[in-house]
Amino acid sequence: MIDKQDAVRIIVQETNQMKIENRDIVSCLGKVLAEDIYSRDNLPNFDKSAMDGYAIRSSDSERKLFKIKGIIRAGDTNKYELKSGETYKIMTGAALPFGADAVIEKEKVHVENGCIFIENNVKKYNNTIKYGEEIRKGDLALERGTAIRPAEIGFMASLGYSSVNIYGSPKIAILLTGDELVDIESSLTHGKIRNSNGYSLKAMIDNVSAVAISYGIIPDDKKIIKFKIEDALKRADIVIISGGASAGDYDFVEDVLEEIGAHVKFSGVAVKPGKPVTFAEYHNKLIFSLPGNPLSLINSFEEFVKPAIYKMMGRGSQNHSEFPVILRDDFHGKIGREKNIYVKIVKHGEKYYAFQTGSQCSNTLYTLTRSNGVVIVPKDYGSVKAGSVLNGKFIFR
């Protein structure tokens, strides 16, 4: 059994980045840029109004009275010229007339007989957006390695990019083993549980913009498990096997990995929940055998699978910043394993506090639905008392 930090280091070392793909920007949500993006234009490429109002010369504002020459709308391509004592009514986003350097809000003027009257002087550049104020032609707009959100898609569109280079998304096979599993629409009979893990895994894979391939429920039959794993390795970059990782009479996964020639890098991690995790490599494909208990499965995915996915997609390390958290409740545990305790983290002033959300038993999901973070109890700590300060982090972000 190895420490969590050593396990993550081994996983990252064995993980290769995906090939670079050129994709339409609309299909790049959640992906990672594989190139630097430079501005093709000055944005905006003209001086423009930041709101509806009247365009004037700021140096002329002591006059207080201006004659209205016309209206300039957004998209108007005519080139208007503003002379002393004149104004144009102007719409948000419209180009300023030549000579204007300020816009006064329409609510701050009095209109009468084709003129406007203003009470106060107007500062230069008031309510205007200057040429190239957002970005200049040739400037670095987005760096390689940037995670693409809706804002980045819109920004690239404004720069004239219809497609960009991104790191591909890994295909991840989901194999769920266990004779106790039934479909979620089935009625529960004695000794049976619904297949929640398949849905949790699919949701977590979707959440990181990877591609899930589901194999459904696989019975505890060694030959069938071996066949499914071999097929998954042909189709996917990562194979996740849920269940079959403990030391029971019908847990066959490690035997199968040895038979197919996979290189097992470790088996068992000093972490709670999620001790029975096995990680293997097979011809540059990654195999994770995760515990079948729902809370352990989700914790194991977040701690061990996600770093591999992030490296494959060009994100590097996970962006989960740890910060000091003050416990508001006692939490019980044993020395020997690093423990993730699922909690509700609340900020009061400049400090974060952690509140108990329920049982930390590895087979419960209800606690997770009430939690937004974890506190991390070091392996040389047992029980911790309210008032203790530990590192914490938010989850599913």
Side-chain angles (χ1 to χ4, degrees):
M1 189 164 61
I2 65 173
D3 289 342
K4 183 185 80 174
Q5 292 75 15
D6 289 334
V8 173
R9 176 182 54 79
I10 292 169
I11 290 166
V12 172
Q13 285 178 345
E14 295 293 331
T15 302
N16 299 312
Q17 283 186 338
M18 300 293 293
K19 292 181 180 179
I20 293 173
E21 302 174 3
N22 188 267
R23 298 278 289 273
D24 183 285
I25 60 171
V26 176
S27 63
C28 287
L29 184 64
K31 311 301 182 186
V32 178
L33 276 173
E35 62 174 322
D36 291 333
I37 300 295
Y38 292 90
S39 179
R40 294 172 171 173
D41 299 287
N42 296 295
L43 292 184
N45 66 341
F46 54 87
D47 295 330
K48 66 180 183 179
S49 175
M51 62 174 53
D52 294 346
Y54 292 87
I56 64 171
R57 293 181 177 182
S58 60
S59 60
D60 227 10
S61 60
E62 292 184 357
R63 299 174 61 95
K64 309 303 182 189
L65 174 67
F66 297 85
K67 183 180 180 181
I68 301 172
K69 294 293 293 180
I71 300 176
I72 306 175
R73 297 175 176 84
D76 193 334
T77 58
N78 292 322
K79 296 182 179 179
Y80 299 93
E81 184 174 355
L82 191 68
K83 297 179 181 178
S84 181
E86 296 178 343
T87 185
Y88 278 91
K89 187 175 184 179
I90 192 166
M91 304 294 106
T92 302
L96 293 177
F98 180 76
D101 62 5
V103 172
I104 184 169
E105 302 96 308
K106 62 181 182 180
E107 295 84 4
K108 293 184 178 180
V109 305
H110 176 68
V111 182
E112 186 176 334
N113 297 325
C115 296
I116 66 166
F117 299 85
I118 65 174
E119 295 182 359
N120 302 311
N121 292 345
V122 180
K123 293 182 179 180
K124 191 174 184 179
Y125 305 130
N126 186 63
N127 297 320
T128 65
I129 302 172
K130 296 190 292 181
Y131 173 89
E133 182 176 314
E134 183 176 5
I135 195 167
R136 291 279 182 171
K137 184 177 182 178
D139 284 353
L140 178 63
L142 295 170
E143 292 184 354
R144 177 178 182 155
T146 298
I148 301 173
R149 305 168 300 172
E152 281 74 25
I153 290 175
F155 188 36
M156 291 187 290
S158 75
L159 297 173
Y161 286 85
S162 60
S163 65
V164 292
N165 290 327
I166 54 97
Y167 294 102
S169 297
K171 295 178 181 178
I172 304 176
I174 302 172
L175 283 68
L176 308 162
T177 69
D179 290 337
E180 73 277 16
L181 299 176
V182 295
D183 187 75
I184 61 170
E185 295 180 350
S186 300
S187 298
L188 292 180
T189 57
H190 185 70
K192 299 294 184 180
I193 60 172
R194 292 191 180 99
N195 170 31
S196 65
N197 284 347
Y199 291 85
S200 296
L201 283 169
K202 174 68 165 58
M204 290 188 291
I205 291 167
D206 289 347
N207 197 42
V208 293
S209 299
V211 180
I213 304 172
S214 179
Y215 277 77
I217 299 170
I218 301 170
D220 285 323
D221 182 296
K222 185 176 178 181
K223 290 183 179 179
I224 297 175
I225 291 172
K226 181 178 179 181
F227 174 79
K228 296 292 186 180
I229 290 175
E230 288 177 327
D231 185 70
L233 286 168
K234 296 174 185 177
R235 300 176 59 192
D237 304 291
I238 297 175
V239 176
I240 296 177
I241 307 151
S242 170
S246 300
D249 291 338
Y250 298 99
D251 296 327
F252 303 117
V253 171
E254 282 201 49
D255 291 341
V256 170
L257 295 181
E258 183 178 347
E259 287 181 14
I260 67 174
H263 302 288
V264 176
K265 301 299 179 178
F266 62 79
S267 185
V269 184
V271 65
K272 181 180 174 61
K275 174 184 173 182
V277 172
T278 296
F279 171 67
E281 181 272 338
Y282 181 81
H283 298 301
N284 295 319
K285 306 289 183 80
L286 305 182
I287 304 170
F288 292 90
S289 179
L290 306 183
N293 282 325
L295 184 60
S296 295
L297 173 98
I298 290 174
N299 193 68
S300 299
F301 182 95
E302 289 288 308
E303 295 290 350
F304 305 117
V305 183
K306 190 181 283 187
I309 297 172
Y310 274 19
K311 182 176 179 182
M312 284 183 166
M313 296 181 66
R315 292 194 186 194
S317 61
Q318 295 188 66
N319 188 25
H320 288 322
S321 299
E322 295 181 9
F323 48 87
V325 178
I326 302 169
L327 305 187
R328 295 304 300 266
D329 297 292
D330 296 342
F331 294 94
H332 302 288
K334 296 179 180 180
I335 294 174
R337 286 191 280 166
E338 181 177 301
K339 295 166 282 293
N340 279 2
I341 299 176
Y342 284 83
V343 295
K344 182 177 181 179
I345 297 176
V346 178
K347 187 176 183 181
H348 289 295
E350 296 301 315
K351 295 181 178 180
Y352 291 94
Y353 296 87
F355 295 84
Q356 191 175 87
T357 53
S359 169
Q360 300 294 316
C361 181
S362 60
N363 65 2
T364 180
L365 282 174
Y366 182 52
T367 295
L368 263 178
T369 67
R370 304 171 64 196
S371 305
N372 66 351
V374 297
V375 291
I376 303 162
V377 182
K379 65 179 182 179
D380 53 347
Y381 283 43
S383 297
V384 287
K385 296 290 187 181
S388 301
V389 180
L390 297 172
N391 280 350
K393 62 183 178 182
F394 290 109
I395 55 174
F396 305 132
R397 291 193 171 186

